[in-house]
Amino acid sequence: MPSVLPLGDPAPSDGLLPPQAADGAADRAFGLYVHIPFCAVRCGYCDFNTYTATELGGGASQDAYASTAVSEVDFAATVLRASGIPDRPMSTVFFGGGTPTLLPAEDLARILAAAVGRWGLEPGAEVTTEANPDSVTPESLAVLKNAGFTRVSFGMQSAVPHVLKVLDRTHTPSRVPQVVQWARDAGLAVSLDLIYGTPGESLDDWRYSLETALSYEPDHISAYALIVEDGTKLAAQIRRGEVPGIDDDDHADKYELADQLIGKAGLGWYEVSNWARTPDQACRHNLAYWRGDDWWGIGPGAHSHVGGVRWWNVKHPTAYAGRLAQGLSPAAGRETLDDGTRDMERIMLEARLVTGVGISSLGESGRKEVAGLIADALVEPAQAFRGQLVLTLKGRLLADAVVRRILPD
């Protein structure tokens, strides 16, 4: 969740959605995202909307945050019903951040219970929290499991100490296998997040991190290329020459190595940056984003989407808490997508998935572009397979360029 909010139209203070949001809602899945904006340390590469726990007071404090989040859950349920959108049980819930597990596990359980009380959960629903390896205990993970969480995603990032130091991560590599075992003992599925391309990280460093992560036999792995965002500590360090810059060829080499080793270990690629041990262990919450389902985002800076209407909350936790305390929508702005924009976004997102984009859905101009891609065998970033346009390995590295080529003018 980037810290800079997009431009958009003013959002109504009552939060009500336009009539189009209700069209077909009963046939769409509904999920919940809960943003926890606190971190013990602000990592030098991170541009997310996060705050160290001691920076904020009043209703935005760490101690009061669960109550504030519950108030938005109540507000959301009221707005959806008043907007003519039928009640739907949640198919996925995802607690992200920040570091959600900086809050007591009982607070996370309380937020989840409030949401379940309002909407219910589908049978077999996926409920995930992100966590830093040094922010959980066996007891806290057991509390989460008993509250209904099914999955935990640990921010491992690297198994190499000097890489973790550049990233400002606070855990030690030896902590990761310990917390993975604790999560398994609690009955939670385990995902590990990795980052490649950190300044000073060699290809051998990255290989070691991959092999180490795979040795823990996670159910799921995410591997993200490091992006240096303007305004971050890392960007300033690179500008001053204190650490080397980012190299696109190095990123490509590391991505190819990740795909090779992760696939060899038995996890299947299903999205540009994600692999799962079985299709059922893919992150269903993120798949809901990529497939354009409905979700409500709880928390400061959180984004929501319902029926082609997208909105985002005010960024600062104090302003967020203040608006809810007054009974007002915390939304800072919103946009209503037209059919053309929704089609463009659908293609951009579906092209990232292993299932690809349905060629028949591209329109005549788009199908002609696909034919051109298929004919160009030497630089082909995609292939036609059973009526779908599916990215090859090279295509995944060029995903945005591929999407631009297949879109109609």
Side-chain angles (χ1 to χ4, degrees), residues 46 74 139 152 193 271:
C46 183
D74 294 339
E139 293 76 19
V152 60
D193 282 1
E271 191 275 339

Side-chain angles (χ1 to χ4, degrees), residues 39-46 48 50-52 55 167-168 233:
C39 284
V41 174
R42 195 185 311 280
C43 296
Y45 65 91
C46 183
F48 285 7
T50 62
Y51 305 82
T52 56
E55 286 178 337
L167 295 174
D168 291 323
K233 174 185 171 183

Side-chain angles (χ1 to χ4, degrees), residues 61-72:
S61 72
Q62 185 172 318
D63 290 344
Y65 190 76
S67 294
T68 306
V70 167
S71 68
E72 190 181 0

